[in-house]
Amino acid sequence: MPELPEVETIRIEISPLIIGRRITGVEVFWERMVREPSLDEFRRGVAGQRIVGVDRRGKYLLIRLGSGDTLVVHLKMSGALIVGKSEDEPPQYTHAIIDLDGGMRIFFRDPRKFGLMRLAKDDASVVGKLGPEPLEPDFTSEVLGKLLAGRKAPIKALLTDQDLIAGVGNMYADEALYEAKIHPLRTGGSLSKGEIARLHKAVLKVLIAGIGNKGASIENYLRPDGSKGTAHDEFKVAHQRKAACPRCGTPIRRIAVRNRGTYFCPKCQKMK
DNA sequence: CCCGGAACCTGAAGGC
DNA sequence: TGCCTTCAGGTTCCGG
């Protein structure tokens, strides 16, 4: 599922393919994919525009247009942007196509149909409420401590709350908690200063490793050239059903936290 | 403000 | 073989 490392990989790899190209048209086969404005307005606002940049904020991909507007893409759980040629057959589950000059097209593939696009005048209306970017220098252990102070919710739920930290999703939250040896059900406010420092370091480590491995191809995530990432090969606990803890050999356990599958080592990550 | 649960989606995988 | 259940989870909305 696209989380920060997956979206960042897409940003890095799609930028040289599409920046400088002009969008010649948009086809949308699943209309609910376009949230704002109306589909007609969306088409008019996108068609004819030149792509002048691609940014990322949290899990949002921000495609900058010559008009000053931003084509916002969120891939949710199963979305992928595949760059191909005009004569290519659309991949299965393609729900929208963005045609570019030079005989290229971007296929928006999304089996679960959660992914969305919108056209925005400014960033604030879309990503204004997001928490800090975890890989920016201003995201320090002290900042993380302040965000968690007094919170009664499970740390697993807080880590995946986009208003607290932007970009961390279910998989990387499990990996970070394992790395920091913290039980996913510990409350945010119960973490010691040392544990917060460990967790901060772990979040950076797993995200950077994820980007280095071009994302995790659990489920349907694909890179713009259609290939898979390899980050999931290095997951210690996330989705490791029936596997053993690489540190102590204890079977990995799965529990549900806020209705999300949560994997951890019951021996290394104690409630205390 | 804080917390938890449901809804949106549908293919894949596993059990019987 | 085939049906049924479970699992996957980012975001938004709603109720307490």
Side-chain angles (χ1 to χ4, degrees):
Chain A
M1 353 249 126
E3 300 180 24
L4 187 153
E6 287 72 33
V7 182
E8 180 65 8
T9 299
I10 292 168
R11 187 192 67 77
I12 291 168
E13 298 188 344
I14 207 170
S15 288
L17 301 176
I18 67 170
I19 290 177
R21 296 207 176 273
R22 186 179 299 281
I23 298 172
T24 56
V26 185
E27 296 157 70
V28 178
F29 313 118
W30 172 254
E31 300 203 356
R32 291 169 65 181
M33 166 173 277
V34 174
R35 298 302 162 88
E36 270 181 293
S38 70
L39 188 50
D40 275 350
E41 275 181 273
F42 176 84
R43 277 207 199 87
R44 280 200 299 275
V46 170
Q49 290 300 316
R50 189 163 309 272
I51 295 171
V52 297
V54 183
D55 295 320
R56 179 192 59 75
R57 177 79 170 92
K59 302 171 191 170
Y60 290 86
L61 198 66
L62 305 170
I63 300 174
R64 309 299 189 185
L65 305 180
S67 60
D69 290 352
T70 297
L71 173 52
V72 179
V73 176
H74 198 301
L75 299 168
K76 293 288 179 82
M77 293 167 48
S78 58
L81 297 179
I82 309 294
V83 177
K85 299 191 180 75
S86 306
E87 63 268 24
D88 289 348
E89 198 66 26
Q92 197 181 10
Y93 312 120
T94 293
H95 302 307
I97 301 176
I98 298 171
D99 288 296
L100 305 175
D101 62 9
M104 298 181 63
R105 0 173 58 175
I106 305 172
F107 300 105
F108 195 146
R109 184 195 119 95
D110 186 10
R112 299 280 184 285
K113 293 181 171 173
F114 282 139
L116 61 87
M117 293 191 288
R118 70 174 50 141
L119 190 63
K121 294 279 173 206
D122 63 301
D123 286 7
S125 61
V126 180
V127 298
K129 279 170 46 191
L130 292 183
E133 281 292 323
L135 297 183
E136 292 296 316
D138 59 355
F139 180 69
T140 61
S141 181
E142 289 69 32
V143 167
L144 178 60
K146 281 194 180 119
L147 291 170
L148 300 180
R151 302 293 296 255
K152 294 255 170 47
I155 184 61
K156 168 68 187 287
L158 295 170
L159 273 182
T160 55
D161 182 343
Q162 302 301 294
D163 295 350
L164 286 193
I165 306 164
V168 177
N170 205 44
M171 305 181 298
Y172 292 97
D174 280 359
E175 288 300 299
L177 289 170
Y178 173 82
E179 182 71 27
K181 300 185 180 178
I182 295 170
H183 193 290
L185 290 177
R186 291 278 302 283
T187 66
S190 75
L191 299 190
S192 71
K193 206 167 177 182
E195 287 172 325
I196 291 168
R198 259 177 17 228
L199 182 56
H200 172 261
K201 198 173 160 190
V203 167
L204 300 196
K205 181 176 172 179
V206 301
L207 292 179
I208 290 168
I211 295 170
N213 288 312
K214 316 291 185 193
S217 286
I218 299 277
E219 297 263 312
N220 295 287
Y221 162 75
L222 294 173
R223 294 156 61 188
D225 67 357
S227 69
K228 295 183 174 190
T230 58
H232 53 287
D233 294 338
E234 293 183 15
F235 281 168
K236 310 281 203 305
V237 292
H239 291 95
Q240 300 308 299
R241 208 178 285 272
K242 294 177 184 167
C245 168
R247 276 195 298 247
C248 72
T250 304
I252 298 302
R253 255 230 325 265
R254 180 193 180 276
I255 59 173
V257 178
R258 288 277 245 278
N259 277 325
R260 294 293 173 257
T262 298
Y263 297 82
F264 69 106
C265 170
K267 190 174 175 194
C268 296
Q269 297 165 265
K270 291 210 189 296
M271 278 300 281
K272 170 171 304 183

